Amino acid sequence: MSTNNSQGTIDNLLHENRVFQPPKHGPGPWHLASMDEYRRLHRRSVENPEAFWAEEAERLAWFRRWDRVLEWNAPDAKWFGGGTLNACYNCVDRHVQAGHGEQTALVWEGEPVGPATSHEVSSSAYSREPQIRRLTYRALQQEVSRFANVLKGLGVGRGDVVTIYMPMVPELAVAMLACARIGAAHSVIFGGFAATAISERAIDAKSRVVVTSDGGNRRGEVLKLSRTVEEAVSLAASHGHSIADVVVLRHTAHEKPSERFRTGEVRHGARMHWWHDLAAGVSDACPCEAMDSEAMLFLLYTSGSTGKPKGIVHTTAGYLAFVQMTARLTFNLIPDCGQLFWCTADIGWITGHSYVLYGLLMNRVTTLMYEGAPNYPAQDRFWDIIERHRVTQFYTAPTAIRTFMKWGDELPAKHDLSSLRILGTVGEPINPEAWMWYHRHIGRDACPIVDTYWQTETGGHVCTPLPGAVPTKPGSCTVPMLGIDAVVVNEKGEVLPPDKGGLLAIRRPWPGMLRGVFGNRERFVSNYFGRLKDPATGTPYYFSADGARRDGDGYFWVMGRVDDVIKVSGHLLGTMEVESALVSHPAVAEAAVVGVPHEIKGNAIHAFVSLKPQWLKANARHADDSLKAELVGHVSKEVGALAKPDVIRFAEGLPKTRSGKIMRRLLRDVASGVEKITQDTTTLEDFSVVAKLREDDE
Ligand code: WTA
């Protein structure tokens, strides 16, 4: 491995396989303080899983205790059957009832700096400094209950799906918890997605209510979210799905409410409402519904290699039990210990669901939410926030860390980061160079780094160091979480010896696992449980779609996806999604998209596009840069800015197998400039296509 790092030491560290021992002290006493303890607990947790998970479930507040810990008819798991509980009660009400109502649940900081603007809406529930809001558990309970009543007033009830498309503001958390409170499921859509993506998801989820905001702040600009929602409503209507109600939070207030719409006004068949109009005078008391353990808590759409995004279904008790445990152990959460946890992920991703919101509130540790960009108004914004708020645990993504490296060591050096005790990363493999930089420049060589490997589908961490117990190695997500029976296997399901690359599988069910793909049983079964099984019994294993190896110490090294899904800046994208967007442009005959390693983003998107000659002729257009720009804009409009191709290459034809499948691996090689194609091309239909693609390169 090569590096241009000025210290020149990282290579050696990697070759030496350097190991970093856990520090003696963390943010409070360690929950687990030695590798022996980890090993003993892990063994017990997989040998006697029911007893182990029952203990974890005891930590939740139940309305009715469960009868059975697990019913497993692979691939269907039912956890804590017979029990009833409520997610919002576990995050909020139980703490208020236990006398912690005045504790801060959530600290929010907005992007704009300087005094609060005059048109921001003030609410008596918030104590407010300029751009900083703090919500106590009691205030959160009141706001959530009020909004739960608003939703009820719109006819939302148990089992309904509410679509949420909002910036990172406290009301996003309020809306999610309000859904949970009344037994509705939320489907949060990341604010970077476009109207088509929103309407597609709302249609799939049969969701009739959308909660949004007039805008979100990003690098001094306002993203007009509710306008995008209006477009999505009209698109959904054109596909025969009517969205009944849209609730709009007034947040950026870039336009006067009266100039946008009046509450109750109908647009494209949907009634438009201002949040503050609906909430005015509504009671802030609302009981928590008693939900079955297996009631759907939320849907979260994630990209797949084929077809449309998948609505991953998570249910109540299992998800809560798993997330409270993983949050507690991975980040050593302890209430009343001065901890302030900051996860920089957007709530629109699973990381935000589990480790901005649910995992933190269940453990009664204060969570910090920041709305803006890391480089606004300056590139040291994150370090400034950590210093001012005295953040103790910080959780971010490798792509962000690589960007911070590029911005320079002097930026974190300007700030007092001594409050930090644990650092975390998530989302993609972290290269050892970035790991070392994070350790030195942010962690001052004193903080353990928890490299957490997991997925939307797993609900929470499945491989990660536990910071007080597990020695770390840069680039490895180390060992399985308690209760997780993770292995590296071959296609036959046989466990591979150390250092052999294979497929990452989980042999037994765990409470936080997905329960389905919404409305698509077949996809659930075939994607996750159709490929690997126990060679002796034939019982399906959960397949992650990631390649990995385990070293001689049993540490996992994740190598990345083995399917056609790419991670770009930590966002998961199906090559299919981008390809469908491209071919929906009238100029495009065929498209193939591949991920190519990229220094900062992890992967860059390269698109190979063949054009329709007739269309070019009829419209007097050429295969030139202006058409490339138009196609990039088209993808951005169809899927969202996050899916924009970095490179578009026009090709006369795409390499295909004799059965007509595009040979993506080959394109990947072409795109990354591999000198000589060593792959098996015996099934290639016409080799001249590849030769042509390479010539185009010159
Ligand atoms: C990748 C994000 C290596 C992996 C929580 C997985 C990682 C996909 C890590 C899931 C890590 C996530 N090391 N790879 N620590 N964390 N991944 O659903 O390929 O957005 O399958 O969930 O991210 O992405 P998702």
Side-chain angles (χ1 to χ4, degrees):
M1 184 160 192
S2 69
T3 170
N4 47 14
N5 175 350
S6 57
Q7 286 132 23
T9 52
I10 284 147
D11 267 351
N12 297 341
L13 298 183
L14 183 59
H15 295 313
E16 285 170 24
N17 236 345
R18 256 188 80 168
V19 174
F20 292 82
Q21 295 301 326
K24 287 263 169 329
H25 304 287
W30 291 122
H31 286 305
L32 260 78
S34 75
M35 194 61 181
D36 284 346
E37 197 181 352
Y38 160 77
R39 286 214 183 85
R40 188 171 50 75
L41 285 174
H42 186 262
R43 193 174 318 117
R44 217 200 92 208
S45 72
V46 292
E47 281 172 1
N48 195 351
E50 299 207 6
F52 175 79
W53 290 118
E55 271 174 34
E56 287 304 323
E58 296 284 3
R59 295 172 182 273
L60 300 177
W62 294 85
F63 295 154
R64 183 185 185 282
R65 201 180 184 279
W66 66 90
D67 302 319
R68 300 162 300 278
V69 174
L70 171 66
E71 287 165 71
W72 176 229
N73 297 306
D76 298 303
K78 283 200 180 114
W79 285 91
F80 312 115
T84 64
L85 74 175
N86 183 283
C88 182
Y89 185 87
N90 272 278
C91 288
V92 182
D93 297 65
R94 68 184 301 194
H95 305 316
V96 177
Q97 277 172 21
H100 304 294
E102 303 321 311
Q103 191 196 314
T104 304
L106 191 154
V107 180
W108 174 84
E109 174 144 350
E111 187 186 78
V113 283
T117 49
S118 58
H119 45 227
E120 280 188 322
V121 186
S122 64
S123 155
S124 58
Y126 305 124
S127 84
R128 152 194 283 280
E129 305 160 31
Q131 276 73 46
I132 293 175
R133 285 152 76 182
R134 291 173 209 280
L135 267 88
T136 62
Y137 279 97
R138 189 183 311 285
L140 192 56
Q141 186 186 38
Q142 287 164 350
E143 291 297 301
V144 168
S145 300
R146 196 189 323 271
F147 196 65
N149 284 329
V150 165
L151 290 175
K152 277 187 180 172
L154 297 175
V156 177
R158 296 167 79 103
D160 293 334
V161 179
V162 175
T163 298
I164 303 178
Y165 181 72
M166 292 180 88
M168 285 286 281
V169 289
E171 285 81 0
L172 167 54
V174 167
M176 291 164 80
L177 292 168
C179 290
R181 194 170 188 92
I182 61 174
H186 50 75
S187 166
V188 181
I189 301 176
F190 173 58
F193 280 115
T196 314
I198 304 171
S199 82
E200 205 170 77
R201 286 159 174 76
I203 294 170
D204 186 78
K206 302 184 177 62
S207 173
R208 299 196 171 276
V209 174
V210 181
V211 183
T212 186
S213 148
D214 56 349
N217 295 297
R218 194 77 184 171
R219 292 195 185 89
E221 305 276 304
V222 170
L223 306 174
K224 296 176 179 166
L225 299 182
S226 65
R227 298 237 174 210
T228 309
V229 167
E230 280 179 48
E231 224 182 301
V233 167
S234 122
L235 271 170
S238 71
H239 286 91
H241 176 78
S242 59
I243 287 169
D245 296 279
V246 176
V247 182
V248 184
L249 174 78
R250 189 175 173 225
H251 171 57
T252 50
H254 58 283
E255 295 166 302
K256 280 199 190 125
S258 56
E259 283 168 12
R260 289 286 287 118
F261 59 82
R262 276 169 294 101
T263 285
E265 200 174 311
V266 176
R267 298 238 172 123
H268 313 291
R271 280 176 300 173
M272 306 293 296
H273 315 270
W274 286 106
W275 176 309
H276 58 266
D277 282 342
L278 292 189
V282 168
S283 157
D284 63 7
C286 172
C288 291
E289 290 284 317
M291 303 304 292
D292 285 342
S293 289
E294 285 295 337
M296 179 159 79
L297 177 61
F298 64 84
L299 263 179
L300 187 56
Y301 283 84
T302 185
S303 298
S305 54
T306 53
K308 282 192 273 184
K310 303 172 278 193
I312 301 300
V313 175
H314 280 290
T315 58
T316 308
Y319 174 80
L320 294 180
F322 191 59
V323 170
Q324 67 76 25
M325 180 189 83
T326 53
R328 185 178 85 251
L329 298 181
T330 305
F331 302 118
N332 209 63
L333 299 183
I334 302 174
D336 306 318
C337 210
Q339 296 183 348
L340 177 63
F341 180 92
W342 184 21
C343 166
T344 66
D346 192 281
I347 292 191
W349 306 110
I350 190 70
T351 306
H353 281 56
S354 299
Y355 304 112
V356 174
L357 195 63
Y358 287 110
L360 273 290
L361 297 185
M362 274 190 285
N363 281 291
R364 194 162 56 79
V365 164
T366 307
T367 186
L368 187 139
M369 248 173 119
Y370 170 57
E371 186 192 346
N375 56 350
Y376 191 87
Q379 289 172 338
D380 63 346
R381 184 66 189 265
F382 277 16
W383 321 130
D384 165 59
I385 290 176
I386 290 173
E387 178 174 14
R388 276 188 291 109
H389 290 275
R390 307 292 298 161
V391 171
T392 45
Q393 291 104 322
F394 178 65
Y395 191 31
T396 194
T399 180
I401 297 167
R402 289 190 291 264
T403 307
F404 301 144
M405 282 174 79
K406 197 179 82 184
W407 288 345
D409 306 351
E410 60 287 359
L411 295 176
K414 280 201 305 201
H415 294 275
D416 174 8
L417 304 180
S418 62
S419 58
L420 290 171
R421 290 287 176 274
I422 296 176
L423 302 177
T425 82
V426 55
E428 57 190 304
I430 180 166
N431 47 313
E433 192 184 347
W435 196 103
M436 288 302 304
W437 186 89
Y438 197 30
H439 193 257
R440 165 131 334 135
H441 295 281
I442 308 305
R444 312 161 328 276
D445 294 325
C447 301
I449 295 180
V450 290
D451 174 355
T452 61
Y453 166 80
W454 59 297
Q455 307 177 297
T456 304
E457 293 87 343
T458 68
H461 307 146
V462 291
C463 286
T464 175
L466 300 182
V470 179
T472 51
K473 300 181 188 182
S476 168
C477 62
T478 76
V479 295
M481 175 51 73
L482 300 188
I484 297 295
D485 187 13
V487 282
V488 175
V489 297
N490 61 17
E491 287 282 354
K492 290 188 214 144
E494 295 158 347
V495 174
L496 293 172
D499 289 322
K500 273 254 182 282
L503 306 171
L504 202 160
I506 301 176
R507 292 191 290 199
R508 265 182 278 211
W510 67 101
M513 68 193 262
L514 79 164
R515 297 298 194 276
V517 171
F518 194 74
N520 200 334
R521 171 83 187 164
E522 202 282 316
R523 243 178 134 187
F524 167 63
V525 177
S526 66
N527 266 299
Y528 303 104
F529 295 94
R531 181 145 165 200
L532 301 174
K533 52 183 190 289
D534 185 328
T537 63
T539 309
Y541 290 163
Y542 171 81
F543 174 45
S544 65
D546 281 306
R549 69 179 171 88
R550 264 184 120 161
D551 67 17
D553 296 328
Y555 277 40
F556 283 79
W557 300 76
V558 175
M559 301 182 313
R561 310 283 303 193
V562 298
D563 57 3
D564 289 322
V565 164
I566 41 183
K567 266 274 164 121
V568 184
S569 303
H571 305 320
L572 208 52
L573 283 170
T575 50
M576 251 292 291
E577 277 166 89
V578 186
E579 287 162 4
S580 325
L582 283 166
V583 295
S584 73
H585 188 284
V588 176
E590 267 188 324
V593 162
V594 293
V596 174
H598 183 277
E599 207 188 326
I600 306 272
K601 303 203 288 185
N603 287 286
I605 302 177
H606 284 231
F608 292 84
V609 171
S610 72
L611 298 166
K612 291 182 191 151
Q614 321 83 301
W615 185 90
L616 292 178
K617 207 159 153 220
N619 293 278
R621 294 290 301 269
H622 302 280
D624 55 13
D625 286 349
S626 94
L627 187 55
K628 282 185 186 173
E630 187 174 323
L631 293 179
V632 169
H634 183 72
V635 173
S636 178
K637 189 175 156 288
E638 289 293 307
V639 188
L642 70 171
K644 276 189 199 167
D646 299 90
V647 175
I648 290 194
R649 292 164 59 144
F650 293 127
E652 267 169 39
L654 300 174
K656 289 193 191 141
T657 63
R658 287 185 197 114
S659 62
K661 277 201 190 131
I662 290 175
M663 294 183 82
R664 254 176 235 290
R665 280 182 305 144
L666 217 111
L667 287 176
R668 222 172 278 146
D669 278 2
V670 172
S672 42
V674 170
E675 285 298 311
K676 193 159 167 273
I677 296 203
T678 50
Q679 296 183 27
D680 181 11
T681 50
T682 48
T683 55
L684 181 64
E685 184 198 36
D686 175 9
F687 199 84
S688 67
V689 168
V690 180
K692 186 81 188 77
L693 284 171
R694 299 180 146 272
E695 277 167 31
D696 290 349
D697 219 9
E698 262 110 57

